[in-house]
Amino acid sequence: MEQQKFQEVVLEVLKDLKEGQVRLEMKIDKLEVGMDKLEARMDKLEEKVEKLEAKVDKLEEKVDRLDLRLGSLEQQAEGMDKRLSEVEERVGSLQQDMVTVKEKLRAIEVQVIENTETLTEVKDSIEYMLDKEKQNEREIFLLKKKLKKEA
């Protein structure tokens, strides 16, 4: 009779452990999908940053060339002012792009923090399940011992 109860307890514990394992595996799968998406977004962001850096390099080269030519182009200042304002517009556009990139980076940082918190929760859940498993093993051991004494 008690052996049957013991078997029922063991089966119930095993069932609980299996359900916990399934839930943890689902959470891990969800985290992996989220991390894959985050990595893809980071790759895209890195590409955009590289393009922006290339644009900035080109603009810096143009500004340097303009500075060299300024001495000889003082008579044509009106034309140069027009070109210079075009460059300033481009720089303003790049600054706006940089603001957008910074905002996206902040959003990614928030996602990383959230994912880190989720991973911490999963770790805590695993530790809890391991502690529960040890507890259950102790209970099973005590039940076996009790059954041996009674037998």
Side-chain angles (χ1 to χ4, degrees):
M1 184 70 157
E2 286 191 22
Q3 187 173 10
Q4 185 178 6
K5 283 183 180 180
F6 171 75
Q7 287 175 345
E8 290 173 5
V9 168
V10 169
L11 289 175
E12 189 63 32
V13 167
L14 289 174
K15 181 182 173 187
D16 289 346
L17 288 173
K18 184 65 178 177
E19 287 174 10
Q21 179 185 3
V22 168
R23 286 193 306 270
L24 286 173
E25 287 173 352
M26 288 171 46
K27 283 184 179 182
I28 289 170
D29 289 345
K30 187 177 178 182
L31 284 173
E32 287 176 347
V33 168
M35 289 301 292
D36 289 344
K37 288 180 183 178
L38 184 60
E39 287 176 1
R41 289 179 71 188
M42 285 297 292
D43 290 344
K44 288 180 184 178
L45 185 60
E46 287 175 359
E47 288 176 15
K48 287 181 181 180
V49 167
E50 288 175 7
K51 287 179 183 178
L52 286 174
E53 288 175 344
K55 286 181 182 180
V56 167
D57 289 343
K58 288 179 183 178
L59 284 174
E60 287 176 349
E61 289 174 13
K62 286 181 182 180
V63 169
D64 290 342
R65 278 185 270 152
L66 288 174
D67 285 340
L68 291 174
R69 291 175 30 199
L70 261 178
S72 64
L73 295 177
E74 288 180 334
Q75 296 173 355
Q76 302 171 8
E78 291 178 14
M80 184 53 70
D81 286 342
K82 183 179 176 183
R83 290 179 190 167
L84 192 55
S85 53
E86 290 174 3
V87 170
E88 288 173 350
E89 287 176 13
R90 289 178 186 164
V91 169
S93 174
L94 285 174
Q95 287 173 338
Q96 289 175 347
D97 290 344
M98 290 301 287
V99 167
T100 302
V101 167
K102 285 179 182 179
E103 290 172 358
K104 289 179 180 180
L105 275 172
R106 284 186 196 110
I108 288 171
E109 287 172 352
V110 167
Q111 279 187 328
V112 167
I113 290 169
E114 290 173 359
N115 286 345
T116 300
E117 291 171 355
T118 303
L119 284 170
T120 301
E121 290 174 12
V122 168
K123 179 186 170 206
D124 290 344
S125 294
I126 289 171
E127 289 174 358
Y128 173 76
M129 291 302 292
L130 289 173
D131 286 344
K132 263 306 214 196
E133 183 180 10
K134 285 179 184 177
Q135 242 180 351
N136 289 337
E137 287 174 357
R138 277 189 229 119
E139 289 177 13
I140 290 169
F141 174 77
L142 292 174
L143 281 172
K144 282 181 178 179
K145 195 174 181 180
K146 185 177 178 183
L147 285 172
K148 282 182 182 180
K149 282 182 181 179
E150 290 179 4

